């Protein structure tokens, strides 16, 4: 059997990782400014991560959600304390799309409505509702195009107000920082007004922090820069440092009902061991401080480089926009300078390194990036 060919691949076979570095099967070392798409939070093969998962798999790899799992309670407690959401409740699933799927479903169960406001260039995942609220007709199959979503301009508060006034909107879903859309940060006043509007109209405000959460922006969640407290927050990617895990943080406004939500694998013992390792390491290694310091340095140095249209971002989620397509720059970074980077659209290079990126590694990236740009 061959693989179903859905990804255009770089011709590199990564077989090893440590910290912010990965190695291919020929032994070539690469600097990882991509984090496997914002997934690697505490670094590849972090010793605590390896130890926790190894011990857990040797003890109990899996049992079902029909019995007590104290690991889940521990992750909920840790996450609540570290993120400042101790009064919220936690639901575990396995991916970002599933997190959004469940958040939207729960919203609709609560207020009985079924239209969603999403924003232009939003990306929320590839499964049924998650893809339907994603602003990309190319990835919405006819079976998913069920007319639940109205897409508005990012920042259009009057548009949101007008739609909500029609009375059938269950939720507004918005990324903490738009990732696929090009690293676009919502105005703080926009998020604050959204929260006020949603609170006043029994509309659920869902913050998709799947990419921008878990410390990536320099606060635990990117929306915390605006001082808001949404009704639900979805998180995945960095939460398990590579182990598949998704979570929904749910406001105490929502009362759990048996049977409404459920999952076989969500919150399994190995996933919890991975999340525990991530959260404990974030605290022990003071990673938020590192994200802010190294992120600021990177943005400051990138802004000194000529011929870049704009550098945007927060913490270690950085977009570098050029006037022209960046495909060749990214290819040369990888194959000549051995640096992995991400991309948004055609003209934006996206940096999503592990949150452990050191100043030395950041300086080395700037040196190699300048070299590729001939500066
Ligand atoms: C903002 C955002 N939401 C949702 C998702 C979907 O997550 P997953 O691929 O884990 O389903 C992604 C993935 O890139 C994302 O960036």
């Amino acid at each position: 059997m061959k693989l179903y060919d859905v990804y255009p691949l770089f011709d590199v076979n990564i077989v090893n990782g440590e910290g912010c570095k990965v190695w291919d099967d020929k032994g070539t070392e690469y600097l990882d400014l991509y984090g496997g798409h914002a997934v690697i939070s505490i670094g590849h093969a972090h010793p605590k991560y390896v130890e926790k998962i190894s011990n857990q798999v040797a003890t109990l790899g899996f049992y079902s959600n029909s019995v007590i799992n104290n690991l889940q309670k521990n992750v909920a407690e840790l996450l609540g304390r570290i993120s400042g959401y101790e009064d919220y409740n936690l639901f575990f699933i396995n991916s970002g799309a599933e997190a959004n799927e469940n958040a939207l479903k729960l919203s609709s169960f609560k207020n009985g409505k079924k239209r969603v406001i999403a924003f232009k260039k939003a990306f929320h995942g590839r499964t049924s509702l998650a893809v339907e609220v994603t602003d990309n007709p190319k990835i919405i199959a006819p079976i998913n195009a069920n007319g639940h979503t109205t897409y508005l301009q990012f920042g259009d508060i009057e548009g949101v107000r007008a739609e909500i006034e029609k009375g059938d909107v269950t939720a507004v879903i918005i990324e903490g920082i738009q990732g696929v859309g090009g690293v676009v940060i919502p105005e703080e006043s926009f998020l604050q007004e959204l929260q006020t509007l949603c609170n006043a109209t029994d509309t659920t405000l869902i913050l998709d922090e799947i990419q921008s959460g878990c410390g990536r922006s320099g606060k635990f969640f990117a929306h915390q820069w605006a001082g808001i407290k949404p009704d639900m927050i979805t998180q995945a990617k960095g939460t398990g440092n590579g182990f598949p895990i998704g979570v929904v943080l749910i406001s105490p406004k929502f009362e759990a009902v048996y049977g409404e939500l459920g999952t076989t694998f969500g919150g399994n013992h190995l996933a919890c061991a991975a999340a525990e390792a991530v959260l404990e390491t974030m605290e022990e290694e003071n990673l938020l401080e590192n994200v802010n310091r190294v992120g600021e340095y990177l943005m400051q140095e990138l802004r000194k480089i000529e011929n870049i249209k704009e550098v945007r971002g927060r913490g270690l989620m950085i977009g570098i926009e050029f006037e022209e397509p960046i495909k060749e720059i990214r290819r040369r970074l990888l194959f000549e300078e051995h640096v992995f980077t991400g991309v948004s659209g055609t003209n934006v290079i996206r940096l999503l390194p592990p949150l452990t990126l050191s100043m030395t590694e950041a300086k080395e990236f700037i040196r190699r990036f300048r070299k590729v740009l001939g500066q």
Side-chain angles (χ1 to χ4, degrees):
M1 196 190 294
K2 289 189 180 152
L3 298 177
Y4 196 58
D5 189 15
V6 284
Y7 302 112
L9 299 181
F10 286 120
D11 188 16
V12 183
N13 178 13
I14 294 300
V15 292
N16 242 328
E18 192 182 322
C20 298
K21 297 194 174 117
V22 289
W23 286 264
D24 69 17
D25 54 355
K26 299 179 187 75
T28 308
E29 181 182 294
Y30 299 79
L31 195 52
D32 187 8
L33 268 285
Y34 180 46
H37 206 83
V39 165
I40 303 301
S41 46
I42 60 170
H44 297 276
H46 189 288
K48 179 172 221 148
Y49 185 74
V50 174
E51 190 193 325
K52 283 222 179 231
I53 294 185
S54 308
N55 286 345
Q56 189 58 50
V57 77
T59 311
L60 179 69
F62 179 82
Y63 207 73
S64 98
N65 277 317
S66 63
V67 296
I68 292 169
N69 178 347
N70 280 330
L71 288 164
Q72 291 185 357
K73 290 187 186 168
N74 197 32
V75 171
E77 258 170 47
L78 264 173
L79 181 56
R81 182 166 53 72
I82 295 175
S83 68
Y85 277 93
E86 274 167 308
D87 54 332
Y88 278 43
N89 298 304
L90 194 65
F91 181 64
F92 287 94
I93 22 33
N94 313 289
S95 68
E98 264 187 279
N100 286 335
E101 210 65 57
N102 281 281
L104 290 163
K105 185 174 170 185
L106 197 52
S107 170
S108 183
F109 268 133
K110 178 166 183 288
N111 59 25
K113 300 174 188 173
K114 57 181 181 186
R115 197 154 62 88
V116 182
I117 304 298
F119 295 94
K120 301 266 184 203
K121 293 193 172 181
F123 184 85
H124 296 294
R126 290 171 179 273
T127 59
S128 71
L129 271 173
V131 81
E132 210 190 323
V133 295
T134 289
D135 181 29
N136 182 354
K138 282 193 208 142
I139 66 168
I140 303 177
I143 200 168
N144 303 125
N146 294 315
H148 293 121
T149 312
T150 303
Y151 305 99
L152 298 175
Q153 288 299 337
F154 207 54
D156 179 10
I157 192 70
E158 287 317 315
V160 178
R161 195 187 312 279
E163 291 303 326
I164 287 179
E165 274 171 9
K166 293 179 187 166
D168 60 345
V169 174
T170 181
V172 176
I173 185 164
I174 181 167
E175 286 158 85
I177 297 175
Q178 276 196 339
V180 173
V183 188
V184 186
I185 304 171
E187 292 285 338
E188 291 180 12
S189 58
F190 176 55
L191 288 181
Q192 289 156 2
E193 283 171 289
L194 267 186
Q195 160 136 58
T196 308
L197 193 52
C198 287
N199 280 348
T201 55
D202 189 27
T203 309
T204 311
L205 179 58
I206 302 172
L207 255 291
D208 177 341
E209 296 271 8
I210 285 157
Q211 187 168 146
S212 54
C214 204
R216 180 149 297 281
S217 77
K219 289 203 186 274
F220 194 86
F221 292 121
H223 68 259
Q224 290 172 320
W225 288 100
I228 62 160
K229 217 168 167 193
D231 301 308
M232 278 191 252
I233 303 150
T234 53
Q235 194 196 317
K237 293 200 188 284
T239 319
N241 198 48
F243 200 97
I245 175 167
V247 288
V248 188
L249 283 74
I250 305 163
S251 146
K253 281 188 210 168
F254 289 77
E255 231 177 89
V257 176
Y258 287 154
E260 272 187 3
L261 307 182
T263 164
T264 297
F265 293 118
N268 69 71
H269 296 66
L270 290 178
C272 286
E276 224 175 63
V278 167
L279 292 165
E280 285 179 7
T281 302
M282 284 188 71
E283 264 196 330
E284 284 161 15
E285 298 186 7
N286 205 0
L287 288 185
L288 284 183
E289 194 268 330
N290 189 63
V291 169
N292 283 307
R293 192 167 47 91
V294 180
E296 244 163 65
Y297 166 80
L298 277 174
M299 279 191 269
Q300 186 188 308
E301 290 304 306
L302 288 166
R303 287 186 177 124
K304 291 180 191 160
I305 300 177
E306 284 167 23
N307 301 328
I308 290 177
K309 188 176 166 195
E310 193 181 15
V311 177
R312 320 181 267 272
R314 266 194 172 132
L316 289 175
M317 181 165 178
I318 300 175
I320 313 165
E321 181 164 358
F322 287 78
E323 295 283 1
E324 66 283 347
I326 47 79
K327 196 171 173 196
E328 182 57 14
I329 298 175
R330 198 163 162 244
R331 194 197 62 76
R332 288 187 54 207
L333 271 170
L334 181 59
F335 291 107
E336 294 174 17
E337 294 305 317
H338 302 137
V339 180
F340 271 99
T341 55
V343 63
S344 296
T346 52
N347 290 19
V348 179
I349 289 181
R350 203 165 13 143
L351 305 183
L352 304 160
L355 310 181
T356 52
L357 189 76
S358 68
M359 280 300 262
T360 311
E361 287 162 335
K363 282 180 188 161
E364 181 57 20
F365 165 69
I366 295 290
R367 190 189 69 74
R368 296 189 202 180
F369 192 47
R370 276 186 171 276
K371 193 167 164 209
V372 164
L373 298 176
Q375 295 186 39

